[in-house]
Amino acid sequence: MNLPAETLPAAVAVTDAAATVLPLRYRLIRQATEQLCAPLSAEDCAVQSMPDASPVKWHLAHTSWFFETFILEQAIAGYAHFNPAFRVLFNSYYKTVGEQYARPQRGLLVRPSLDEVMRYRHHTDRLMLRLFSEHEITPALAAVIELGLNHEQQHQELILTDLKHLFSFNPLRPVYAAGAEASNNEPPPLRWFQFEEGLRRIGHDGSGFSFDNEGPRHRVFLESFALASRLVTNGEYLEFIADGGYERPELWLSDGWNAVQQYAWRAPLYWQQRDHQWLNFTLSGLRELNPHEPVCHVSFYEADAYARWKGARLPTEAEWEVVASELPVTGNFVESNRFHPAVLQPAATAETPAQMFGDVWEWMQSAYSPYPGFHPPAGALGEYNGKFMCNQMVLRGGSCVTPESHIRATYRNFFPPQARWQFSGIRLARDAK
Amino acid sequence: MNLPAETLPAAVAVTDAAATVLPLRYRLIRQATEQLCAPLSAEDCAVQSMPDASPVKWHLAHTSWFFETFILEQAIAGYAHFNPAFRVLFNSYYKTVGEQYARPQRGLLVRPSLDEVMRYRHHTDRLMLRLFSEHEITPALAAVIELGLNHEQQHQELILTDLKHLFSFNPLRPVYAAGAEASNNEPPPLRWFQFEEGLRRIGHDGSGFSFDNEGPRHRVFLESFALASRLVTNGEYLEFIADGGYERPELWLSDGWNAVQQYAWRAPLYWQQRDHQWLNFTLSGLRELNPHEPVCHVSFYEADAYARWKGARLPTEAEWEVVASELPVTGNFVESNRFHPAVLQPAATAETPAQMFGDVWEWMQSAYSPYPGFHPPAGALGEYNGKFMCNQMVLRGGSCVTPESHIRATYRNFFPPQARWQFSGIRLARDAK
Amino acid sequence: MNLPAETLPAAVAVTDAAATVLPLRYRLIRQATEQLCAPLSAEDCAVQSMPDASPVKWHLAHTSWFFETFILEQAIAGYAHFNPAFRVLFNSYYKTVGEQYARPQRGLLVRPSLDEVMRYRHHTDRLMLRLFSEHEITPALAAVIELGLNHEQQHQELILTDLKHLFSFNPLRPVYAAGAEASNNEPPPLRWFQFEEGLRRIGHDGSGFSFDNEGPRHRVFLESFALASRLVTNGEYLEFIADGGYERPELWLSDGWNAVQQYAWRAPLYWQQRDHQWLNFTLSGLRELNPHEPVCHVSFYEADAYARWKGARLPTEAEWEVVASELPVTGNFVESNRFHPAVLQPAATAETPAQMFGDVWEWMQSAYSPYPGFHPPAGALGEYNGKFMCNQMVLRGGSCVTPESHIRATYRNFFPPQARWQFSGIRLARDAK
Amino acid sequence: MNLPAETLPAAVAVTDAAATVLPLRYRLIRQATEQLCAPLSAEDCAVQSMPDASPVKWHLAHTSWFFETFILEQAIAGYAHFNPAFRVLFNSYYKTVGEQYARPQRGLLVRPSLDEVMRYRHHTDRLMLRLFSEHEITPALAAVIELGLNHEQQHQELILTDLKHLFSFNPLRPVYAAGAEASNNEPPPLRWFQFEEGLRRIGHDGSGFSFDNEGPRHRVFLESFALASRLVTNGEYLEFIADGGYERPELWLSDGWNAVQQYAWRAPLYWQQRDHQWLNFTLSGLRELNPHEPVCHVSFYEADAYARWKGARLPTEAEWEVVASELPVTGNFVESNRFHPAVLQPAATAETPAQMFGDVWEWMQSAYSPYPGFHPPAGALGEYNGKFMCNQMVLRGGSCVTPESHIRATYRNFFPPQARWQFSGIRLARDAK
């Protein structure tokens, strides 16, 4: 599998010029989704492992539904649906569009078959490409298409995240891809970078694509703070466990401690202990736990408890963003074909914090809230981000299953504090001395 | 699809002679299972619709597991498993055999693939057939093989029952098989057959195959009673609904009324009302409700409430059996390829009660309890029936998805009183005047 | 506390003569209820420990509601309610009477106060006694009054049962009553009494009071069987625990084993282990476990598993009744003021089974089902017993908190198989050799 | 009932001088708690209406436990507990102190009796007053005592909040206190006060008592904004309902809409509709709904949906605090003996926003998070506030059941977004034009 990310043009802003690169981006991103699914059987794609996850087949169909509903239906007079029933079946949560098939039952949809869903994708692609060649792509239309492509990339990540969760229940330990050889390097010691207090600006400035929740750009006052030079590793997290981390309520938020009891957490998701040895289930199968890799698949509660145990805290999203916005967007993304966090190179943290992008989503101390002046757009697309601004925590930086062209410093991901099936890890911060 | 039931030899008793027909029965019954699955895709076979149901693929594997575990492992010295992991994966509930994969997660097993499961079946079949030709089949071994064949037939029925439940969630209304044309005949009026009081014998006498729970044969004293000449129809059940049947607590057992509230029951499972018309989801798709067919997919609670509303009651299993044991085992079974209850012919009830076998399982008033002197066999096979003798009600007579050669007058099926996804219906009884 | 049971006339049959003893019975039984509550504070009486239990105050009010609803409302023209709101508040489950206050919320009724409830009782008593002196008590009316008195006695038992459950949550270990000194006697060894097969009659014959579910009297055929000479003791049950009784699935019904896991059962309810010593919470406080007492507060599942471990089984209710009907109704009842099962005297089992009445309710192998020809009475009182005839098991013989005059050989008590807060224990049976 | 708030000295800062007023504050605040409970019976005080609420008796004991555990145990060498079992029974959530009795079972503690709890309170008071007169009250000790007094005031509010919830289940509609006559005044029209953007300071500056979560004082940048002149009224909220507010998903946060479905919300808690008239259950019984009163007992979700429907939003806590810090702390508090929000006087909003303190807690748009530089104190008292900083929203300003001396502009209350049993209401904000 070789994902064609290098040749993918950057996400387009809503300008007249934008439309010229859109068809190319459309083709490449849609192809990338199918390439990710190439190793999978129809059975692999049919099943749902929990209400929060979706079958791969559903992701494949829903991303086509997005283009059909928000582009083709709008742009083509008298548009005839590929299958009218899909309008409900593959609507995720857009209540303004109409009814949705119940989310926890997505895995019951043995029909349409995977073949039929692929026909649906290809039919949609043909109509979209005809649209590009035969219709005027207004800036407004281009903006929605660009949103659809970023939406497709989000589901590329979810396909791998949900698939890993599904495979983890299987005693046969399926392998999605060979991945990379594990490194025996030791990462550089954790250091602290200091940042001065001051009035800063965060949020997206509107040049190029962004999701609505990344703006408006606005001022925030930051006290001086320090940010860790790299991510927390499995080895460091093992010390937390060895020190009774999961048995000491004073280290946890109250809801976090309740979660530890309720779910009987004793280690990150996908870790298992056999004969005193820790193993780690990955998209390349069950492997010996590598202490040098970044710790992954922890909840916000675990990230927070680890930080407290370490005498530190998690960063706020404003702190993280002012640092990240000075750094290039490089790292271990889905295009590396690892599908797993990588061991950091020894010299990586000499001048700036490393691993800010890629590897694992970093849990922030910040609850997911609207920025000052935020207003979601009118209509169904206003349901994309704003309505989830409660009971969720912000994550930043993308992961090893995020497409590289999808992430940026202002990007705000969000999940409930107990979620562990995302590729989520820990970067420490602290108040400046 | 043509199921080869006509040529299937009868179930064998444990005699020296038995072994000669076993290989033929083995081949035919195993083939019948696969013929039932022929119209299904790998996706259709992978998914589980609820904890009480299993994926078709799991049924296909588990029935092989039964022969592997209880025959091949025992009979072949140094037996090498097809895949040692299957020993846990496809153990249903035999705690004496060892661990089981969690039942509600059977639908998560995207691996082994359906292809692999079919290889497992064919591998098992080759070994079984070699066993027949190369080993002495002792009466003890023949008895377990015969049990395995009857077990396979039970799962043939469950494959269709569970598949119907799965398909019912699908707005595309999948069709399993064309089925038969609906009949417009009106069934004969319901009459009562009277039976005198007296000391009777019920239970299997041990000649030919039976499950352990059918014996020992023993004496019961029956008061005089009357049994309805036929099953209750959809049209008769509609009168119960129209008379407020689901809204009148005085018609229901206390737990039944709670179930009506909890599950919001308003009609049998698979019925739906659209524009004042009743539709019925069947294995041949969504059809107009036929008032002349036997009512099906009702719980014990609904059967009991209907009987009370009608001034009657359900039969006890002893009453049913003393009548049924005088009748030939004929009816609408899976071999008719209808997969749905059939309308009764007008002249059918002239001399004896009709529809005692086939069409729908008939809910009895009797809780599922051990017969006097019942002792399950030692070892794992003792877990087959005895450990479920609590919180379940008896059903009698087989259904339209039961193999004809599988049923007999002494056969005791059992399900919890709230179960509705089996092909279960209603025959009335009453005390004699 | 001295309960006046000795002077209580026997329950009356519905004859013209009956009415003459009714007023005396009424006064004594209603007084007995209040005497049972004399040691309790208003707080003790207000609280509900689980949905299946009720506050003592609710029992006190509901038993008055019964007389008000089924006697005073019917017999007195233009009857004015003590408080019209009580008609709903203290209706237990009589849907024919009207709405009920939600059962799990009975403990939220801080008003009416206990004082007010006692005024309600005394008001009802005054009207009932006036009815006795001023109205003709027809046989029909007498029958309902007698039912009300037996109903009141059932709630006397429930008051103590529910109170024990409530007190058991309290780390201060409240004492209801001093009870009796524990005996150090060793009970006689367990022996077996043999009974011949044959056609027997069971069920109440209608002479004197009985509940509707005890009849009609009817014939049953019994195989020969043996019944244990006495109840199973704590010491014997400890051997079951020591032999891994709670860890061996092969000893349990399937639903029983699920209950062991779900509720983490490791011993009977109210047992606790401290420093390798077993303690037993009783209505006389926390005491060292006495190995010679009958085991108590076990579920049907535990009784059944114990019997299987012992190579025996539980009796059917027909077996139990044919033996009990030959024995006098004597034993350790509530009038002994022990409120706990008693150690059996050494010579007690010389000629007949002992402890058949009193001490603990004995779990039967029989599901609670209607007798042949059973029809509940019309109207609200028909809801008393019949509608519970599903998912429950029969218990026989009464307990140490049952009023002596309340029990008889035909009496059928019933509870779900997982219930443990009743004073329920174990008597073994087995097939005859 | 006359609460002696006028004469209550202000909360003390930790200075040497502080100790001189502490004994007086101690006596008055402890008395106020008991005065609040004077109208209640032992039964009223014993019962718990839901896991989130506690019985009044538990509040009475727990507040004494606080002084016993954090003052008497620490200050008195060889301190002998009133009852050692209380150390566990009345520990709320301080895991550092040791075990806690399970919160959802607090209502099962019929013992100790209310009388015994009052003895516990008076015993504690005697020892505390002796401590004041015989020991040196160090600043550190004074700080913890002051914390204990503020803690006691929080439980004064909870006593009324939890009692109202308990009484609401009672069809007899208990009256706690007569309260005040309802006003027929119409409040002034809602206006908007504008505030300029700029760098502001919020948080407590450490002079005088505050909870740890109110600090440190720090800078925040605020965009210009507008704040509503008064609270939203019942009449205004009725318009939201009439406009389909509870039926339009586009008005709600995703979790809010789920809550509407799950809990079947159709109006604020304690509202009920009878014969097309709205009634409101209050601590003075069931009353006709007064459209002029501030709306109360709404969740964050409802407050947020109302604001969205109105084209506005909720304030952030920083916006609210910079306005409130310029205003005097006056309003409708518990000392008014209304126990219900009051109708605003017509002239009240002439110059500044009104009702900022008292009447109802105002839901903020802000998730409850630590301020920059926040560190909870070491030891058990560090569990007071910090460990709840997740999944909760901030409320500001106090309510009609808050003691006047307890509230201030920097005070941060917090509850989960679905909580409705607190006296919580709505103030609107919006971005400046």
Side-chain angles (χ1 to χ4, degrees), chain B residues 207-224:
Chain B
S207 60
F209 175 81
S210 70
F211 288 108
D212 58 359
N213 64 0
E214 299 174 50
R217 190 160 175 82
H218 63 285
R219 286 158 287 185
V220 293
F221 185 85
L222 294 184
E223 306 287 338
S224 58

Side-chain angles (χ1 to χ4, degrees), chain D residues 319-334:
Chain D
E319 289 168 344
W320 190 94
E321 184 173 326
V322 297
V323 177
S325 61
E326 302 297 321
L327 301 175
V329 179
T330 56
N332 172 24
F333 296 111
V334 71

Side-chain angles (χ1 to χ4, degrees), chain C residues 43-44 57 101 111 169, chain D residues 43-44 57 101 111 169:
Chain C
E43 289 162 89
D44 293 338
K57 187 168 69 177
Y101 189 75
R111 315 286 175 89
F169 287 96
Chain D
E43 289 163 87
D44 292 337
K57 186 167 71 176
Y101 188 74
R111 316 284 176 92
F169 287 95

